[in-house]
Amino acid sequence: MFLFISFMNSGSATLQVGFYRSTCPSAESVIRKAVNKAVARNPGIGAGLIRMHFHDCFVRGCDASILLDSTPGNPSEKEHPANNPSLRGFEVIDEAKAELESLCPRKVSCADILAFAARDSAYKLGSINYAVPAGRRDGLVSLEDEPSQNLPPFFFNAQQLEDNFARKGLSG
């Protein structure tokens, strides 16, 4: 199911493999380097990045809204009990984004960084490799209550999980 989540898209962006080939050719290698470094220190970060990508995609589509911080009077998805304090790997995304901003300012979306990081984690942890189309747009909205409305609860059985994924347009 994870592979299908990687291809969910936000807004009207047209996704394509090699999206950054001309605008930021080193984008995927920069992200892979950050992921490999973090996973070498702590393999649990790889699973954390995959989970973060899932939580992001299941709420508003793959728009990096999970990365947005709360503002006064507006707690973000990060604050929801399904995400806080258990989501891990924010520092990996921050490191990759900082490097990419120094190389290719304002070119690579956080949504794509998260999608590539999840893919690179799957490869580093289990030799699972797949192409990730890119070109996602970053979201500007993140609401604390939305994970409750979208993420499957931990107590769902297999049929309930299958139904939940089907509502998102995914199949088993």
Side-chain angles (χ1 to χ4, degrees), residues 32-161:
R32 186 175 309 109
K33 179 181 170 190
V35 168
N36 287 345
K37 184 171 90 175
V39 172
R41 283 194 312 257
N42 178 357
I45 292 295
L49 289 165
I50 293 168
R51 181 171 174 248
M52 185 188 305
H53 184 52
F54 167 74
H55 279 226
D56 181 52
C57 293
F58 242 60
V59 174
R60 290 188 155 261
C62 304
D63 69 346
S65 58
I66 190 68
L67 301 175
L68 294 174
D69 291 326
S70 297
T71 57
N74 180 34
S76 70
E77 293 170 42
K78 278 184 180 180
E79 305 307 321
H80 189 276
N83 299 328
N84 184 12
S86 63
L87 279 186
R88 300 183 311 166
F90 291 103
E91 69 283 357
V92 179
I93 304 303
D94 291 343
E95 178 182 328
K97 181 66 172 174
E99 177 72 15
L100 289 168
E101 284 301 306
S102 72
L103 295 171
C104 321
R106 301 182 63 168
K107 297 292 184 204
V108 183
S109 71
C110 292
D112 282 339
I113 293 170
L114 186 50
F116 290 135
R119 186 257 332 256
D120 295 341
S121 294
Y123 183 73
K124 182 77 172 163
L125 295 171
S127 299
I128 300 167
N129 196 19
Y130 53 94
V132 174
R136 290 165 192 78
R137 306 288 187 253
D138 289 338
L140 302 175
V141 175
S142 182
L143 304 173
E144 180 184 25
D145 63 336
E146 288 189 329
S148 294
Q149 302 162 20
N150 291 283
L151 293 173
F154 70 91
F155 55 80
F156 268 16
N157 64 33
Q159 184 60 56
Q160 290 169 312
L161 286 170

